[in-house]
Amino acid sequence: MIEKVAPTDARVLITGENGTGKEVVARLLYEQSNRAHAPFVEVNCAAIPSELIESELFGHEKGSFTSAIKQRIGKFEQADGGTIFLDEIGDMSLSAQTKVLRVLQESELTRVGSDKSIKVNVRVFAATNKNIKEEIEKGNFREDLYHRLNVIPIYVPPLRERKEDIPLLIEHFTALICSEQGIPVKSFRKEAVELMKTNDWTGNIRELRNVVERLIILCGSVISANDVELFA
């Protein structure tokens, strides 16, 4: 699906539990897109206080509020010609959602404290671990914004639903972590990998990576099923 969608300009809504790799999907879409030469701007909507999200996304003019000591270019302007990734969009305030909707509808924005419209050409990816339809029913998310974003829905399944990926992920993380730590590449016995496939991995791929790193640091050059039982 990523290969089909990436070369287009379609908006993508990526859903899935925490730690499933939604950001990896967004980056792959960008890297395989026609905008790969242009900026990729990531915004974690959950990490920005609601009173600052509009300034962060759309920028502000000098003096538009107490701490606005100079003009600021917002994330949408920074991404002009490229792609913006709105991570955890389910946590965005309703007022910010309204302004994002305007950008999607009209391809223009207004900085905080300004009345001048600025044209932008931005492809939008959004991601959330929330059930957006439930958030709409609760009045926490605008239905019209959901339909604007949800042109191509990509659901990233939890690791427990794709355990056949675990051996490949272990191999990938082992090479990556050993390289980062500057140590010779270690290996996992087949029975160790099979034992790891029986775990439910409630923290998904993020949890698996942590466990692989722990085993690499604490165990010998060949990691056994016994090592997994002790440390995983």
Side-chain angles (χ1 to χ4, degrees), residues 162-182:
R162 47 180 171 132
K163 290 193 174 181
E164 67 277 7
D165 288 351
I166 288 173
L168 285 170
L169 288 164
I170 291 172
E171 187 180 327
H172 168 70
F173 287 136
T174 299
L176 187 68
I177 292 160
C178 289
S179 173
E180 288 174 351
Q181 300 286 347

Side-chain angles (χ1 to χ4, degrees), residues 3-222:
E3 288 173 357
K4 285 181 180 178
V5 173
T8 73
D9 260 353
R11 298 181 195 122
V12 182
L13 181 62
I14 308 162
T15 57
E17 295 177 8
N18 278 333
T20 51
K22 297 187 292 297
E23 183 184 347
V24 175
V25 170
R27 287 196 172 272
L28 273 172
L29 285 164
Y30 163 71
E31 287 166 8
Q32 296 180 26
S33 75
N34 298 326
R35 295 175 182 248
H37 63 284
F40 178 81
V41 177
E42 185 175 350
V43 184
N44 186 336
C45 301
I48 304 167
S50 57
E51 66 271 16
L52 297 178
I53 187 80
E54 290 179 41
S55 170
E56 189 75 16
L57 291 176
F58 312 113
H60 62 247
E61 298 295 345
K62 181 179 177 181
S64 54
F65 50 89
T66 307
S67 58
I69 57 174
K70 62 180 181 179
Q71 185 190 68
R72 179 192 177 99
I73 303 299
K75 299 293 190 185
F76 269 93
E77 274 187 85
Q78 291 173 33
D80 191 26
T83 304
I84 192 166
F85 174 42
L86 303 174
D87 198 8
E88 304 300 350
I89 197 165
D91 293 284
M92 184 182 284
S93 68
L94 285 167
S95 62
Q97 288 177 36
T98 302
K99 293 198 172 184
V100 169
L101 181 64
R102 184 197 169 207
V103 175
L104 300 187
Q105 286 174 332
E106 301 172 18
S107 298
E108 61 182 35
L109 58 84
T110 305
R111 294 183 193 140
V112 176
S114 172
D115 56 6
K116 179 186 173 186
S117 292
I118 299 167
K119 283 282 183 184
V120 287
N121 173 12
V122 178
R123 186 180 187 186
V124 178
F125 302 149
T128 182
N129 60 4
K130 293 187 174 181
N131 184 322
I132 292 292
K133 289 185 177 179
E134 286 181 5
E135 294 301 306
I136 291 167
E137 288 174 10
K138 292 175 187 174
N140 296 331
F141 202 86
R142 292 185 61 122
E143 186 171 10
D144 46 4
L145 177 57
Y146 167 71
H147 290 303
R148 286 277 177 181
L149 293 169
N150 194 40
V151 177
I152 305 289
I154 294 183
Y155 169 65
V156 188
L159 194 52
R160 63 183 174 274
E161 291 180 11
R162 47 180 171 132
K163 290 193 174 181
E164 67 277 7
D165 288 351
I166 288 173
L168 285 170
L169 288 164
I170 291 172
E171 187 180 327
H172 168 70
F173 287 136
T174 299
L176 187 68
I177 292 160
C178 289
S179 173
E180 288 174 351
Q181 300 286 347
I183 58 176
V185 177
K186 298 189 176 185
S187 61
F188 281 71
R189 292 192 189 279
K190 187 177 180 181
E191 59 269 24
V193 174
E194 289 302 313
L195 185 57
M196 289 178 76
K197 284 170 72 174
T198 64
N199 195 324
D200 277 341
W201 301 109
T202 53
N204 292 298
I205 294 172
R206 193 174 293 144
E207 182 188 4
L208 176 65
R209 189 197 193 284
N210 289 346
V211 169
V212 170
E213 186 166 5
R214 188 184 312 147
L215 289 163
I216 286 169
I217 291 169
L218 298 177
C219 304
S221 59
V222 179

